Amino acid sequence: MLWLLFLLVTASHAELCKPDAENAFKVRLSIKTALGDQSYTWDTNEEYLFRAMVAFSMRKVPNREATEIAHVLLCNITQRVSFWFVVTDPSKNHTLPAVEVQSAIRMNRNRINNAFLLNDQTLEFLKIPATLGPPTDSAVPVWIIIFGVVFCIVIVAITLLILSGIRQRRRKSKGLPEVEDAEDKCETPITVENGIPCDPLDTKEVHLNEAFVPEGERLTPL
Amino acid sequence: MALTEEPQSLVEDSGDERPKWDNKFQYLLSCIGFAVGLGNIWRFPYLCQTYGGGAFLIPYLIALVFEGIPLFHIELAIGQRLRRGSIGVWTAISPYLGGVVSAGLGCFTVSFLVSLYYNTILMWVLWYFLNSFQNPLPWSSCPPDRNRTGFVDECQGSGVVSYFWYRQTLNISADIGDSGALQWRLLMCLAACWVVVYLCVIRGIESSGKVIYFTALFPYLVLTLFLIRGLTLPGAKEGLLYLFTPNLEILRNPRVWLDAATQIFFSLSLAFGGHIAFASYNPPRNILSLINAFELPDQSVSRDDYPAVLADLNATQPARVARLLLRSCRLEDFLDKSASGTGLAFIVFTECLLHLPVAPAWAVLFFGMLFTLGLSSMFGNMEGVITPLLDLGVLPRSVPKELLTGLVCLACFACALCFTLQSGNYWLEIFDNYAASLNLIIFAFFEVFGVVYVYGMNRFCNDIEWMTGRRPNLYWRVAWKLVSPLLLLSVFGAYLVLLVQKPLSYKAWNPQHVGPSMKPFPDDPLHGQCACHLCLRMGGSECIQDWGPSRPGAPAP
């Protein structure tokens, strides 16, 4: 008699939880990828913990506070480690709607991940998308800061150049009459270009490019 | 080479001031800086790779010897000669053309147009440069969508770097007719670019001469670093062999010769570029697919085991394995794909940067290099705009040069605003394809023709002898008289023929299908009529396959 009951119960469980069943979700774990040497083996105790976490998540949903660990059914556990699970209602006749389970898992994803020392990528609930972290934008985008720095430097440089240009022009308009006196006094002026004195050209080796000789010097004076 | 440089900038004739190059090295660096621009970096290697590696050098060298160098020499010589009396020389050359007006206007227009969109490219480079100062780089991951359940659809379909370029940078519209709004981010970068250009040309060569040390040498330093880095990576030997192994068959294609000739001139190649998906092949991904599909234990298949396991599974359950769509990696597949232009710089190379250690540093170096490259070419362009204005005496002499330069930069900035619209990239492509190259070829042809046939070959040779002490030898005379004009005419003709053959079209970004598609020009007086409405989906579906993340919720590759 008891044996018959047991058969009945497992049969009904089998119907509720099977791959691609209604309201069933597939879970895939990659423990070795996540933990490497410190990985644990997946055994029935881990399964118990998983069922407990799912039950815990469901209990947080309004109207589902009565969910027990026994209501969470796992099936088709593979070596991968992957399995399917469903959450049944207290009567254990039908499963809770997928939408509720999905939202419950999403709300508590962090707790579930941490219980198993895994993350969103290594503990996958297929068809339950994880909530991505918010984009880490600082209040002021970085590029604006750099832009401000570059722009300020350039504006300062331009201002300095313009000011020095104005000053040079003023100095020249004042200094011209003085320069002309100086030229009369000097007999053999040493031409200085940009602060570097030029040696007189050795006309034997160098060809003078007449394109750069100013007009006035070419014409013989009257 | 960029033949838009104006050698009149060598010596300024503005009143009493005669700014000079500090030394020969500075002059040489300036010439190199003007000539070597963005096109050299991101188009020439692409042409080499596409047209059979080392074999491309043959048409290129021929074009250089018969077209590039003679034209360059003529332009330098004219420039020096012009300096002596620009009005006199040009009226002597062609009194019918009205002298200064046409010559000045010719240089001026071309330089103006080129400056406009060259600086727009610098604007994009600056944007990327400013965004490189953060870790992780902003183009390394897709932004999450509104629910935060996954990534934005457009990003998942096209790939992170493409999304960053087309959406977050350009915010591109789907059609050239749809102008969209001004992009304020790009506007700020454009303003910054023009301010930097103004700073560098504010005093003519006096200021640009100082900056040129950095802007001309820095790119070579960075390129050397990248070369060293590239050589240390696996596959370097195969890549180099592929690039330089000549494939002489390709030379039969007339397109090669045309591209070599135009590359001499001016080529920015604002193309989409091929999509080389660096991360589309990820060895762990194939193994993961196998493990997930066949429920094998986690980490049970290593890279060495993979071929054996795959063969085993293929023998027993081929249907399931086929459904997994596993991809194999062949180096040749990647080597066959090549990219140029903005596609290379902003899509392919930005993805490549993500895979380097200390990615932000490399990104800063790379975009800094592109910026300095473009900047040194901009000096030449701006001189080409400012010097004719000075010569024509548009503003009275009392107006200081700084003011004129500032006004010119402001005017260019205002005109370039159209490129910061959402359809700006399309306009730029049109400019590059149809506005600059053709004009330059025509202008160069008239330059050679005018000097050699109207001014007279003998007179010109006399001038050169008078300036340098040596008469140009037979090579120059033959090249100027016969070869260069003929080559220019044939290049121009070939260009026209190619243009006429297919309907004028441009590649547009399609956010729905996610990927570039060909679109015909709208009925716009600038571009003429377009008869047929062919729409080719250029790799749109390919994008979705190659670029999507392995599973929802995972960060995009």
Side-chain angles (χ1 to χ4, degrees), chain A residues 26 28 30 33 78 80 82 106 131-132 147 154 161 164-165 169 172 193-194 209 211-212 215, chain B residues 11 17-18 20 22 80 83-84 127 148-150 188 195 203 291-292 295-296 298-299 402 467:
Chain A
K26 184 167 181 183
R28 194 187 284 147
S30 310
T33 313
T78 67
R80 169 63 183 82
S82 68
R106 284 192 78 191
T131 310
L132 299 171
F147 176 86
V154 172
L161 275 176
S164 77
R169 221 167 285 126
K172 208 174 300 124
E193 299 258 310
N194 286 334
N209 188 339
F212 291 99
E215 272 286 340
Chain B
V11 186
E17 287 287 290
R18 279 233 336 247
K20 283 187 164 51
D22 288 347
Q80 289 198 358
R83 187 218 149 273
R84 293 290 289 121
W127 163 257
R148 301 209 334 243
T149 52
M188 286 169 68
V195 166
R203 295 267 201 81
I291 289 180
N292 285 346
E295 306 286 2
L296 304 170
D298 189 24
Q299 297 281 331
E402 287 92 335
M467 286 192 288

Side-chain angles (χ1 to χ4, degrees), chain B residues 121-145:
Chain B
I121 298 171
L122 287 189
M123 161 184 84
W124 295 332
V125 173
L126 184 67
W127 163 257
Y128 269 83
F129 177 76
L130 295 175
N131 273 297
S132 302
F133 285 94
Q134 47 191 299
N135 193 21
L137 292 167
W139 54 84
S140 59
S141 61
C142 276
D145 64 14

Side-chain angles (χ1 to χ4, degrees), chain B residues 446-522:
Chain B
F446 278 113
E447 207 173 296
V448 177
F449 188 79
V451 169
V452 170
Y453 288 100
V454 182
Y455 184 67
M457 174 66 92
N458 269 332
R459 268 168 86 185
F460 187 60
C461 290
N462 289 342
D463 286 338
I464 293 186
E465 189 175 5
W466 174 70
M467 286 192 288
T468 62
R470 272 180 307 217
R471 212 175 162 79
N473 59 27
L474 187 66
Y475 155 67
W476 298 108
R477 276 182 278 142
V478 167
W480 288 331
K481 201 149 187 139
L482 274 178
V483 183
S484 298
L486 271 177
L487 259 179
L488 283 170
L489 265 181
S490 47
V491 166
F492 180 65
Y495 226 83
L496 276 183
V497 164
L498 278 172
L499 273 183
V500 165
Q501 265 177 5
K502 50 182 171 123
L504 299 175
S505 61
Y506 65 99
K507 287 203 205 115
W509 178 259
N510 187 338
Q512 273 79 48
H513 196 88
V514 188
S517 56
M518 295 289 277
K519 279 201 173 185
F521 281 154

Side-chain angles (χ1 to χ4, degrees), chain A residues 147-163:
Chain A
F147 176 86
V149 169
V150 168
F151 208 72
C152 286
I153 294 176
V154 172
I155 294 286
V156 164
I158 290 178
T159 325
L160 284 175
L161 275 176
I162 292 181
L163 285 177

Side-chain angles (χ1 to χ4, degrees), chain A residues 36-216:
Chain A
D37 291 331
Q38 290 154 1
S39 58
Y40 48 83
T41 41
W42 186 260
D43 54 13
T44 44
N45 297 326
E46 306 286 345
E47 287 170 28
Y48 191 83
L49 178 59
F50 182 82
R51 290 161 67 206
M53 294 305 297
V54 174
F56 158 76
S57 310
M58 289 312 297
R59 284 166 86 103
K60 289 201 159 176
V61 177
N63 292 335
R64 298 290 177 201
E65 287 90 347
T67 314
E68 298 290 334
I69 296 179
H71 298 157
V72 182
L73 309 172
L74 304 188
C75 51
N76 275 69
I77 303 161
T78 67
Q79 286 277 16
R80 169 63 183 82
V81 175
S82 68
F83 49 85
W84 291 80
F85 77 93
V86 286
V87 187
T88 61
D89 66 345
S91 67
K92 293 205 188 157
N93 282 337
H94 39 262
T95 53
L96 297 185
V99 182
E100 278 188 34
V101 179
Q102 191 178 45
S103 72
I105 301 281
R106 284 192 78 191
M107 300 286 274
N108 299 287
R109 189 63 187 269
N110 201 27
R111 301 290 296 273
I112 302 175
N113 286 349
N114 282 331
F116 293 97
L117 307 173
L118 300 171
N119 60 27
D120 282 346
Q121 278 75 45
T122 41
L123 172 56
E124 297 167 68
F125 288 82
L126 303 187
K127 290 192 288 175
I128 302 185
T131 310
L132 299 171
T136 50
D137 276 339
S138 53
V140 181
V142 174
W143 73 270
I144 290 189
I145 299 173
I146 314 284
F147 176 86
V149 169
V150 168
F151 208 72
C152 286
I153 294 176
V154 172
I155 294 286
V156 164
I158 290 178
T159 325
L160 284 175
L161 275 176
I162 292 181
L163 285 177
S164 77
I166 295 176
R167 219 179 303 135
Q168 245 178 34
R169 221 167 285 126
R170 247 187 248 142
R171 214 184 301 141
K172 208 174 300 124
S173 56
K174 280 189 222 140
L176 253 178
E178 298 160 12
V179 168
E180 282 170 357
D181 296 337
E183 277 187 346
D184 289 335
K185 288 179 198 153
C186 289
E187 290 158 11
T188 51
I190 302 170
T191 40
V192 175
E193 299 258 310
N194 286 334
I196 306 163
C198 299
D199 294 318
L201 286 173
D202 184 0
T203 43
K204 270 181 276 177
E205 290 175 354
V206 168
H207 179 89
L208 190 67
N209 188 339
E210 312 233 0
F212 291 99
V213 174
E215 272 286 340

